[in-house]
Coordinates of all heavy atoms in Angstrom, one line a residue:
M1 N 53.9 -14.0 -36.5 CA 53.9 -12.6 -37.0 C 55.3 -12.2 -37.4 O 56.2 -12.3 -36.6 CB 53.3 -11.7 -35.9 CG 53.3 -10.3 -36.4 SD 52.6 -9.2 -35.1 CE 51.0 -9.9 -34.8
R2 N 55.5 -11.8 -38.6 CA 56.8 -11.3 -39.1 C 57.0 -9.9 -38.8 O 56.2 -9.0 -39.0 CB 56.9 -11.6 -40.6 CG 56.6 -13.0 -41.0 CD 57.9 -13.5 -41.6 NE 57.7 -14.9 -42.0 CZ 58.6 -15.8 -41.9 NH1 59.7 -15.5 -41.5 NH2 58.3 -17.0 -42.3
R3 N 58.2 -9.6 -38.3 CA 58.6 -8.2 -37.9 C 59.5 -7.7 -39.0 O 60.4 -8.4 -39.5 CB 59.3 -8.2 -36.6 CG 58.4 -8.6 -35.5 CD 58.5 -7.6 -34.4 NE 57.7 -8.0 -33.3 CZ 56.5 -7.5 -33.0 NH1 56.1 -6.5 -33.8 NH2 55.8 -7.9 -32.0
V4 N 59.3 -6.5 -39.4 CA 60.1 -5.8 -40.3 C 61.3 -5.1 -39.5 O 61.0 -4.5 -38.5 CB 59.3 -4.7 -41.1 CG1 60.2 -3.9 -42.0 CG2 58.1 -5.3 -41.8
V5 N 62.5 -5.3 -39.9 CA 63.6 -4.8 -39.2 C 64.3 -3.6 -39.9 O 65.0 -2.8 -39.3 CB 64.7 -5.8 -38.9 CG1 64.1 -6.9 -38.0 CG2 65.2 -6.4 -40.1
A6 N 64.0 -3.4 -41.2 CA 64.6 -2.3 -41.9 C 63.8 -2.1 -43.2 O 63.1 -3.0 -43.7 CB 66.0 -2.6 -42.3
V7 N 63.7 -0.9 -43.7 CA 63.1 -0.5 -44.9 C 64.1 0.4 -45.7 O 64.9 1.0 -45.2 CB 61.7 0.2 -44.7 CG1 60.7 -0.6 -44.0 CG2 61.9 1.5 -43.9
G8 N 63.9 0.3 -47.0 CA 64.7 1.1 -47.9 C 64.2 1.1 -49.3 O 63.1 0.6 -49.6
N9 N 64.9 1.6 -50.2 CA 64.6 1.7 -51.6 C 65.5 0.8 -52.5 O 66.7 0.9 -52.3 CB 64.6 3.1 -52.1 CG 63.7 4.0 -51.4 OD1 62.5 3.8 -51.3 ND2 64.2 5.1 -50.8
L10 N 64.9 0.0 -53.4 CA 65.6 -0.8 -54.3 C 66.5 0.1 -55.2 O 65.9 1.0 -55.8 CB 64.7 -1.7 -55.1 CG 65.4 -2.7 -56.0 CD1 66.2 -3.7 -55.2 CD2 64.4 -3.4 -56.9
H11 N 67.8 -0.1 -55.2 CA 68.7 0.7 -56.0 C 69.1 0.0 -57.3 O 69.0 0.6 -58.4 CB 69.9 1.0 -55.2 CG 70.9 1.9 -55.9 ND1 70.6 3.1 -56.3 CD2 72.2 1.6 -56.2 CE1 71.7 3.6 -56.9 NE2 72.7 2.7 -56.8
K12 N 69.5 -1.2 -57.2 CA 69.9 -2.0 -58.4 C 69.5 -3.4 -58.2 O 69.5 -4.0 -57.1 CB 71.5 -1.9 -58.6 CG 72.0 -0.6 -59.1 CD 73.5 -0.8 -59.4 CE 74.0 0.4 -60.1 NZ 75.4 0.3 -60.5
L13 N 69.2 -4.0 -59.4 CA 68.9 -5.5 -59.4 C 69.7 -6.1 -60.5 O 69.6 -5.8 -61.6 CB 67.4 -5.7 -59.6 CG 66.9 -7.1 -59.8 CD1 67.2 -7.9 -58.5 CD2 65.5 -7.1 -60.1
W14 N 70.6 -7.1 -60.1 CA 71.5 -7.7 -61.0 C 70.9 -9.2 -61.3 O 71.1 -10.0 -60.4 CB 72.9 -7.8 -60.5 CG 74.0 -8.3 -61.4 CD1 74.0 -8.3 -62.7 CD2 75.2 -9.0 -61.0 NE1 75.1 -8.9 -63.2 CE2 75.9 -9.3 -62.2 CE3 75.7 -9.3 -59.8 CZ2 77.1 -10.0 -62.1 CZ3 77.0 -9.9 -59.7 CH2 77.6 -10.2 -60.9
R15 N 70.2 -9.3 -62.4 CA 69.6 -10.6 -62.7 C 70.4 -11.4 -63.7 O 70.1 -12.6 -63.9 CB 68.2 -10.4 -63.1 CG 67.3 -9.8 -62.1 CD 65.9 -9.8 -62.5 NE 65.6 -9.7 -63.9 CZ 64.5 -9.8 -64.5 NH1 63.4 -9.9 -63.8 NH2 64.3 -9.7 -65.8
S16 N 71.4 -10.8 -64.4 CA 72.1 -11.5 -65.4 C 73.5 -11.9 -64.9 O 74.5 -11.6 -65.5 CB 72.2 -10.6 -66.6 OG 72.8 -9.4 -66.3
V17 N 73.5 -12.6 -63.8 CA 74.8 -13.0 -63.1 C 75.4 -14.1 -64.0 O 74.7 -15.1 -64.4 CB 74.5 -13.6 -61.7 CG1 75.8 -14.1 -61.1 CG2 73.8 -12.6 -60.9
P18 N 76.6 -13.9 -64.5 CA 77.3 -14.8 -65.4 C 77.4 -16.2 -64.6 O 77.7 -16.3 -63.5 CB 78.6 -14.2 -65.6 CG 78.5 -12.8 -65.3 CD 77.5 -12.7 -64.2
E19 N 77.2 -17.2 -65.4 CA 77.4 -18.6 -64.9 C 78.8 -19.1 -65.1 O 79.6 -18.5 -65.8 CB 76.4 -19.6 -65.6 CG 75.0 -19.2 -65.3 CD 74.1 -20.2 -66.0 OE1 74.5 -21.3 -66.4 OE2 72.9 -19.8 -66.2
N20 N 79.2 -20.1 -64.4 CA 80.5 -20.8 -64.5 C 81.7 -19.9 -64.2 O 82.7 -20.0 -64.9 CB 80.6 -21.4 -65.9 CG 79.5 -22.4 -66.2 OD1 79.1 -23.1 -65.3 ND2 79.0 -22.4 -67.4
L21 N 81.5 -19.0 -63.2 CA 82.7 -18.2 -62.8 C 83.3 -18.8 -61.6 O 82.6 -19.4 -60.7 CB 82.2 -16.8 -62.5 CG 81.7 -15.9 -63.6 CD1 81.2 -14.6 -63.1 CD2 82.8 -15.7 -64.6
D22 N 84.6 -18.6 -61.4 CA 85.2 -19.0 -60.2 C 85.0 -17.8 -59.2 O 84.4 -16.8 -59.6 CB 86.7 -19.3 -60.3 CG 87.5 -18.1 -60.8 OD1 87.0 -17.0 -61.0 OD2 88.7 -18.4 -61.1
M23 N 85.4 -18.0 -57.9 CA 85.1 -16.9 -57.0 C 85.7 -15.6 -57.4 O 85.1 -14.6 -57.2 CB 85.7 -17.4 -55.6 CG 85.3 -16.5 -54.5 SD 83.5 -16.5 -54.2 CE 83.3 -15.4 -52.9
A24 N 87.0 -15.6 -57.9 CA 87.6 -14.3 -58.3 C 86.8 -13.7 -59.4 O 86.6 -12.4 -59.4 CB 89.0 -14.6 -58.7
G25 N 86.3 -14.5 -60.4 CA 85.5 -13.9 -61.5 C 84.2 -13.4 -61.0 O 83.7 -12.3 -61.5
L26 N 83.5 -14.1 -60.0 CA 82.3 -13.6 -59.5 C 82.5 -12.3 -58.8 O 81.7 -11.3 -58.9 CB 81.6 -14.6 -58.6 CG 80.3 -14.3 -58.0 CD1 79.2 -14.0 -59.1 CD2 79.8 -15.4 -57.2
K27 N 83.5 -12.2 -58.0 CA 83.8 -10.9 -57.3 C 84.1 -9.8 -58.2 O 83.6 -8.7 -58.0 CB 85.0 -11.1 -56.3 CG 84.7 -11.9 -55.1 CD 85.9 -12.1 -54.2 CE 85.6 -12.8 -52.9 NZ 86.8 -12.9 -52.0
K28 N 84.8 -10.1 -59.3 CA 85.1 -9.0 -60.3 C 83.9 -8.6 -61.0 O 83.6 -7.3 -61.2 CB 86.1 -9.5 -61.3 CG 86.6 -8.5 -62.3 CD 87.6 -9.1 -63.3 CE 88.0 -8.1 -64.3 NZ 89.0 -8.6 -65.3
A29 N 83.0 -9.5 -61.4 CA 81.7 -9.1 -62.0 C 80.8 -8.4 -61.1 O 80.2 -7.4 -61.5 CB 81.1 -10.4 -62.6
F30 N 80.8 -8.7 -59.8 CA 80.0 -8.1 -58.8 C 80.5 -6.6 -58.7 O 79.7 -5.7 -58.7 CB 80.1 -8.8 -57.5 CG 79.3 -8.2 -56.4 CD1 78.0 -8.7 -56.1 CD2 79.8 -7.2 -55.5 CE1 77.3 -8.2 -55.1 CE2 79.1 -6.7 -54.5 CZ 77.8 -7.2 -54.3
R31 N 81.8 -6.4 -58.6 CA 82.4 -5.1 -58.5 C 82.0 -4.3 -59.7 O 81.7 -3.1 -59.6 CB 83.9 -5.2 -58.3 CG 84.6 -3.8 -58.1 CD 86.0 -3.9 -57.8 NE 86.8 -4.7 -58.8 CZ 87.3 -6.0 -58.6 NH1 87.2 -6.5 -57.4 NH2 87.9 -6.6 -59.5
G32 N 82.1 -4.9 -60.9 CA 81.8 -4.2 -62.1 C 80.3 -3.7 -62.2 O 80.0 -2.7 -62.7
Y33 N 79.4 -4.5 -61.7 CA 78.0 -4.2 -61.7 C 77.6 -3.2 -60.6 O 77.0 -2.2 -60.9 CB 77.1 -5.4 -61.6 CG 75.7 -5.1 -61.8 CD1 75.2 -5.1 -63.1 CD2 74.8 -4.8 -60.8 CE1 73.9 -4.8 -63.4 CE2 73.5 -4.5 -61.1 CZ 73.0 -4.5 -62.4 OH 71.7 -4.2 -62.6
F34 N 78.1 -3.4 -59.4 CA 77.6 -2.6 -58.3 C 78.6 -1.5 -57.9 O 78.3 -0.6 -57.2 CB 77.4 -3.4 -57.0 CG 76.1 -4.3 -57.1 CD1 76.2 -5.6 -57.3 CD2 74.9 -3.7 -57.1 CE1 75.1 -6.4 -57.4 CE2 73.7 -4.5 -57.2 CZ 73.8 -5.9 -57.3
G35 N 79.9 -1.6 -58.4 CA 80.9 -0.6 -58.1 C 81.3 -0.7 -56.6 O 81.8 0.3 -56.1
A36 N 81.2 -1.8 -56.0 CA 81.6 -2.0 -54.6 C 82.2 -3.4 -54.5 O 81.9 -4.3 -55.3 CB 80.4 -1.9 -53.7
E37 N 83.1 -3.5 -53.5 CA 83.8 -4.8 -53.3 C 82.8 -5.8 -52.6 O 82.0 -5.4 -51.7 CB 85.0 -4.6 -52.3 CG 86.1 -3.9 -53.0 CD 86.7 -4.5 -54.2 OE1 86.7 -5.8 -54.3 OE2 87.0 -3.8 -55.1
W38 N 82.8 -7.0 -53.0 CA 82.0 -8.1 -52.5 C 82.0 -8.2 -51.0 O 81.0 -8.2 -50.4 CB 82.5 -9.4 -53.2 CG 82.0 -10.7 -52.7 CD1 82.4 -11.4 -51.6 CD2 81.1 -11.5 -53.4 NE1 81.7 -12.6 -51.6 CE2 80.9 -12.7 -52.7 CE3 80.3 -11.3 -54.6 CZ2 80.0 -13.7 -53.0 CZ3 79.5 -12.3 -54.9 CH2 79.3 -13.5 -54.2
T39 N 83.2 -8.2 -50.4 CA 83.3 -8.4 -49.0 C 82.9 -7.1 -48.2 O 82.6 -7.2 -47.0 CB 84.7 -8.8 -48.6 OG1 85.6 -7.8 -49.1 CG2 85.1 -10.1 -49.1
D40 N 82.8 -6.0 -48.8 CA 82.4 -4.8 -48.1 C 80.8 -4.7 -48.0 O 80.4 -4.0 -47.1 CB 82.9 -3.5 -48.9 CG 84.4 -3.4 -48.8 OD1 85.0 -4.0 -47.9 OD2 84.9 -2.6 -49.6
V41 N 80.1 -5.3 -48.9 CA 78.7 -5.1 -48.9 C 77.8 -6.4 -48.8 O 76.6 -6.3 -48.4 CB 78.2 -4.3 -50.1 CG1 78.8 -3.0 -50.2 CG2 78.5 -5.1 -51.4
L42 N 78.3 -7.5 -49.1 CA 77.5 -8.7 -49.1 C 77.4 -9.3 -47.7 O 78.4 -9.6 -47.1 CB 78.1 -9.7 -50.1 CG 77.2 -10.9 -50.5 CD1 75.9 -10.5 -51.2 CD2 77.9 -11.9 -51.3
D43 N 76.2 -9.5 -47.3 CA 76.0 -10.1 -45.9 C 76.5 -11.5 -45.8 O 77.0 -11.9 -44.7 CB 74.5 -10.0 -45.6 CG 74.1 -10.4 -44.2 OD1 74.8 -10.0 -43.3 OD2 73.2 -11.2 -44.0
A44 N 76.5 -12.3 -46.9 CA 76.9 -13.7 -46.8 C 78.3 -13.8 -47.4 O 78.6 -14.9 -47.9 CB 75.9 -14.5 -47.5
A45 N 79.1 -12.8 -47.4 CA 80.4 -12.9 -48.0 C 81.3 -13.9 -47.5 O 82.2 -14.5 -48.2 CB 81.1 -11.5 -48.0
D46 N 81.2 -14.2 -46.2 CA 82.0 -15.2 -45.6 C 81.5 -16.6 -45.7 O 82.2 -17.6 -45.3 CB 82.2 -14.8 -44.1 CG 80.9 -14.8 -43.3 OD1 79.9 -14.7 -43.9 OD2 81.0 -14.9 -42.1
I47 N 80.4 -16.8 -46.3 CA 79.8 -18.1 -46.5 C 80.5 -18.7 -47.8 O 81.0 -18.0 -48.6 CB 78.3 -18.1 -46.6 CG1 77.7 -17.6 -45.3 CG2 77.7 -19.5 -47.0 CD1 76.2 -17.4 -45.3
S48 N 80.5 -20.0 -47.9 CA 81.2 -20.7 -49.0 C 80.9 -20.2 -50.4 O 79.8 -19.7 -50.6 CB 80.9 -22.2 -48.9 OG 79.6 -22.4 -49.4
F49 N 81.8 -20.3 -51.3 CA 81.6 -19.9 -52.7 C 80.4 -20.7 -53.3 O 79.6 -20.1 -54.0 CB 82.9 -20.2 -53.5 CG 82.7 -20.0 -55.0 CD1 82.4 -18.7 -55.5 CD2 82.7 -21.0 -55.8 CE1 82.2 -18.5 -56.8 CE2 82.5 -20.8 -57.2 CZ 82.3 -19.6 -57.7
A50 N 80.3 -22.0 -53.0 CA 79.2 -22.8 -53.6 C 77.9 -22.2 -53.2 O 76.9 -22.1 -54.0 CB 79.3 -24.2 -53.1
Y51 N 77.7 -21.7 -51.9 CA 76.5 -21.1 -51.5 C 76.2 -19.8 -52.3 O 75.1 -19.6 -52.7 CB 76.6 -20.7 -50.0 CG 75.4 -20.0 -49.4 CD1 74.3 -20.7 -48.9 CD2 75.4 -18.6 -49.3 CE1 73.3 -20.0 -48.4 CE2 74.4 -17.9 -48.8 CZ 73.3 -18.6 -48.3 OH 72.2 -17.9 -47.8
N52 N 77.2 -19.0 -52.4 CA 77.0 -17.7 -53.1 C 76.8 -17.9 -54.6 O 76.1 -17.1 -55.3 CB 78.1 -16.7 -52.8 CG 77.9 -16.2 -51.4 OD1 76.9 -15.5 -51.1 ND2 78.9 -16.4 -50.6
A53 N 77.6 -18.8 -55.2 CA 77.5 -19.1 -56.6 C 76.2 -19.6 -57.1 O 75.8 -19.4 -58.3 CB 78.6 -20.0 -57.0
A54 N 75.4 -20.1 -56.2 CA 74.0 -20.6 -56.5 C 73.0 -19.5 -56.7 O 71.9 -19.7 -57.2 CB 73.6 -21.6 -55.5
N55 N 73.4 -18.3 -56.2 CA 72.4 -17.2 -56.4 C 72.2 -16.8 -57.8 O 73.2 -16.7 -58.6 CB 72.9 -16.0 -55.6 CG 72.9 -16.2 -54.1 OD1 72.1 -17.0 -53.6 ND2 73.8 -15.5 -53.4
T56 N 71.0 -16.5 -58.2 CA 70.8 -16.1 -59.6 C 70.5 -14.6 -59.8 O 70.4 -14.1 -60.8 CB 69.6 -16.9 -60.2 OG1 68.4 -16.6 -59.3 CG2 69.8 -18.4 -60.2
A57 N 70.5 -13.9 -58.6 CA 70.3 -12.5 -58.6 C 70.9 -11.9 -57.4 O 71.0 -12.6 -56.3 CB 68.9 -12.1 -58.8
Y58 N 71.3 -10.6 -57.4 CA 71.7 -9.9 -56.3 C 71.0 -8.5 -56.4 O 70.7 -8.0 -57.5 CB 73.2 -9.6 -56.3 CG 74.0 -10.9 -56.1 CD1 74.4 -11.7 -57.3 CD2 74.4 -11.4 -54.9 CE1 75.1 -12.8 -57.1 CE2 75.2 -12.5 -54.7 CZ 75.5 -13.2 -55.8 OH 76.2 -14.4 -55.7
F59 N 70.8 -7.9 -55.2 CA 70.2 -6.5 -55.3 C 70.9 -5.6 -54.3 O 71.5 -6.0 -53.3 CB 68.7 -6.6 -55.0 CG 68.3 -7.1 -53.6 CD1 68.2 -6.3 -52.5 CD2 68.1 -8.5 -53.4 CE1 67.8 -6.8 -51.3 CE2 67.7 -9.0 -52.2 CZ 67.6 -8.1 -51.1
A60 N 70.8 -4.3 -54.6 CA 71.3 -3.3 -53.7 C 70.2 -2.4 -53.2 O 69.2 -2.1 -54.0 CB 72.3 -2.4 -54.5
V61 N 70.2 -2.0 -52.0 CA 69.2 -1.2 -51.4 C 69.8 0.1 -50.9 O 70.9 0.1 -50.4 CB 68.6 -1.9 -50.2 CG1 67.5 -1.0 -49.5 CG2 67.9 -3.2 -50.6
R62 N 69.2 1.2 -51.2 CA 69.7 2.5 -50.7 C 68.7 3.1 -49.7 O 67.6 2.6 -49.6 CB 69.9 3.5 -51.9 CG 68.6 3.9 -52.6 CD 69.0 4.9 -53.8 NE 67.9 5.0 -54.7 CZ 66.7 5.6 -54.4 NH1 66.5 6.3 -53.3 NH2 65.8 5.6 -55.4
D63 N 69.2 4.1 -49.0 CA 68.3 4.7 -48.0 C 67.8 3.7 -47.0 O 66.7 3.8 -46.5 CB 67.2 5.5 -48.6 CG 67.6 6.5 -49.6 OD1 68.6 7.1 -49.4 OD2 66.9 6.6 -50.6
L64 N 68.6 2.7 -46.6 CA 68.2 1.7 -45.7 C 68.2 2.2 -44.3 O 69.1 2.9 -43.9 CB 69.2 0.5 -45.7 CG 68.8 -0.7 -45.0 CD1 67.6 -1.4 -45.5 CD2 70.0 -1.8 -45.0
R65 N 67.1 2.0 -43.6 CA 66.9 2.5 -42.2 C 66.2 1.5 -41.4 O 65.3 0.8 -41.8 CB 66.2 3.9 -42.2 CG 64.8 3.8 -42.8 CD 64.3 5.3 -43.1 NE 63.0 5.2 -43.7 CZ 62.7 4.9 -45.0 NH1 63.7 4.6 -45.8 NH2 61.5 5.0 -45.4
P66 N 66.7 1.3 -40.2 CA 66.1 0.4 -39.2 C 64.7 0.9 -38.8 O 64.5 2.1 -38.7 CB 67.0 0.3 -38.1 CG 67.8 1.6 -38.1 CD 67.8 2.0 -39.5
V67 N 63.8 0.0 -38.5 CA 62.5 0.3 -37.9 C 62.3 -0.6 -36.7 O 62.8 -1.7 -36.6 CB 61.4 0.2 -38.9 CG1 61.5 1.2 -40.0 CG2 61.3 -1.2 -39.5
E68 N 61.4 -0.2 -35.8 CA 61.1 -1.0 -34.6 C 59.6 -1.2 -34.5 O 58.8 -0.3 -34.9 CB 61.6 -0.4 -33.3 CG 63.1 -0.3 -33.2 CD 63.6 0.2 -31.9 OE1 62.9 0.2 -30.9 OE2 64.7 0.8 -31.9
A69 N 59.2 -2.3 -34.1 CA 57.8 -2.6 -33.8 C 56.9 -2.5 -35.0 O 55.8 -2.0 -35.0 CB 57.2 -1.8 -32.6
L70 N 57.4 -2.8 -36.2 CA 56.6 -2.8 -37.4 C 56.5 -4.2 -38.0 O 57.5 -4.9 -38.1 CB 57.3 -1.9 -38.5 CG 56.7 -1.8 -39.8 CD1 55.3 -1.1 -39.7 CD2 57.6 -1.0 -40.8
T71 N 55.3 -4.6 -38.2 CA 55.0 -5.9 -38.8 C 54.7 -5.7 -40.3 O 54.3 -4.6 -40.7 CB 53.8 -6.6 -38.1 OG1 52.7 -5.8 -38.4 CG2 54.1 -6.8 -36.6
L72 N 54.9 -6.8 -41.0 CA 54.5 -6.8 -42.5 C 53.0 -6.4 -42.6 O 52.7 -5.6 -43.5 CB 54.9 -8.1 -43.1 CG 54.7 -8.2 -44.6 CD1 55.5 -7.1 -45.3 CD2 55.2 -9.5 -45.1
N73 N 52.2 -7.0 -41.8 CA 50.7 -6.7 -41.9 C 50.5 -5.2 -41.7 O 49.7 -4.6 -42.4 CB 49.9 -7.5 -40.9 CG 49.9 -9.0 -41.3 OD1 50.1 -9.3 -42.4 ND2 49.6 -9.8 -40.3
R74 N 51.1 -4.6 -40.7 CA 50.9 -3.1 -40.5 C 51.5 -2.3 -41.6 O 50.9 -1.3 -42.0 CB 51.6 -2.7 -39.2 CG 51.4 -1.3 -38.9 CD 51.7 -0.9 -37.5 NE 51.9 0.6 -37.5 CZ 52.9 1.2 -37.0 NH1 53.8 0.5 -36.4 NH2 53.0 2.5 -37.0
L75 N 52.6 -2.7 -42.1 CA 53.2 -2.0 -43.3 C 52.2 -2.0 -44.4 O 52.0 -0.9 -45.1 CB 54.5 -2.6 -43.7 CG 55.2 -2.0 -44.9 CD1 55.7 -0.6 -44.6 CD2 56.4 -2.8 -45.3
L76 N 51.6 -3.1 -44.7 CA 50.7 -3.2 -45.8 C 49.4 -2.4 -45.5 O 48.9 -1.7 -46.4 CB 50.3 -4.7 -46.1 CG 51.5 -5.5 -46.6 CD1 51.0 -7.0 -46.7 CD2 51.9 -5.0 -48.0
A77 N 48.9 -2.5 -44.3 CA 47.7 -1.7 -43.9 C 48.0 -0.2 -43.9 O 47.1 0.6 -44.4 CB 47.3 -2.1 -42.5
D78 N 49.1 0.2 -43.4 CA 49.5 1.6 -43.4 C 49.5 2.2 -44.8 O 49.3 3.4 -45.1 CB 50.8 1.9 -42.7 CG 50.7 1.7 -41.2 OD1 49.6 1.6 -40.7 OD2 51.8 1.8 -40.6
H79 N 49.8 1.4 -45.8 CA 50.0 1.8 -47.2 C 48.6 2.1 -47.7 O 48.5 2.9 -48.7 CB 50.7 0.8 -48.0 CG 51.0 1.2 -49.4 ND1 50.2 1.0 -50.5 CD2 52.1 2.0 -49.8 CE1 50.8 1.5 -51.5 NE2 51.9 2.1 -51.2
G80 N 47.6 1.6 -47.2 CA 46.2 1.8 -47.7 C 45.8 1.1 -48.9 O 44.7 1.4 -49.4
G81 N 46.6 0.3 -49.5 CA 46.2 -0.5 -50.6 C 46.0 0.3 -51.9 O 45.4 -0.2 -52.8
I82 N 46.5 1.5 -51.9 CA 46.4 2.4 -53.1 C 47.0 1.7 -54.4 O 46.4 1.7 -55.4 CB 46.9 3.8 -52.9 CG1 46.1 4.5 -51.8 CG2 46.9 4.6 -54.1 CD1 46.7 5.8 -51.3
K83 N 48.2 1.3 -54.2 CA 48.9 0.5 -55.3 C 49.7 -0.5 -54.7 O 50.1 -0.4 -53.5 CB 49.7 1.5 -56.2 CG 50.9 2.1 -55.5 CD 51.7 2.9 -56.5 CE 53.0 3.4 -55.9 NZ 53.8 4.1 -56.8
P84 N 50.1 -1.6 -55.4 CA 50.9 -2.6 -54.8 C 52.3 -2.1 -54.4 O 52.9 -1.3 -55.1 CB 51.0 -3.6 -56.0 CG 50.1 -3.2 -57.0 CD 49.7 -1.8 -56.8
L85 N 52.7 -2.6 -53.3 CA 54.1 -2.3 -52.8 C 55.1 -3.3 -53.5 O 54.7 -4.4 -53.7 CB 54.2 -2.5 -51.3 CG 53.4 -1.5 -50.4 CD1 53.5 -1.9 -49.0 CD2 53.9 -0.1 -50.6
N86 N 56.3 -2.9 -53.7 CA 57.3 -3.7 -54.1 C 58.1 -4.1 -52.9 O 58.8 -3.2 -52.3 CB 58.2 -3.0 -55.2 CG 57.5 -2.8 -56.5 OD1 56.8 -3.6 -56.9 ND2 57.7 -1.6 -57.0
L87 N 58.0 -5.4 -52.5 CA 58.7 -5.8 -51.3 C 59.7 -6.9 -51.5 O 59.4 -7.7 -52.4 CB 57.6 -6.4 -50.3 CG 56.5 -5.4 -49.8 CD1 55.5 -6.2 -49.0 CD2 57.1 -4.3 -49.0
I88 N 60.7 -6.8 -50.8 CA 61.7 -7.9 -50.8 C 61.7 -8.4 -49.3 O 62.0 -7.6 -48.4 CB 63.1 -7.5 -51.2 CG1 63.1 -7.0 -52.7 CG2 64.1 -8.7 -51.0 CD1 64.3 -6.4 -53.1
V89 N 61.3 -9.6 -49.1 CA 61.2 -10.1 -47.7 C 62.2 -11.3 -47.6 O 62.2 -12.2 -48.4 CB 59.8 -10.6 -47.5 CG1 59.7 -11.2 -46.0 CG2 58.8 -9.5 -47.6
S90 N 63.0 -11.2 -46.6 CA 64.0 -12.3 -46.4 C 64.1 -12.6 -45.0 O 63.9 -11.8 -44.1 CB 65.4 -11.8 -47.0 OG 66.4 -12.7 -46.7

């Protein structure tokens, strides 16, 4: 059973990440798109450049808030199935 640890709203989705950038170029492009420093917001900022350079998209979440004792199944059931939810599960 998967537990949900936080919920929020998708703010930005960067799918056109330039290829063939060095680390400095990727950080500069990231700052240009999101308006924030790479090391201030990216959870995997301390992981190797090769790991991060392989990503084809990045996203920003706003209004992020922690939740307790919530499962993905309950989240879906509570929604009532009226319309599909947009979920990012990691």
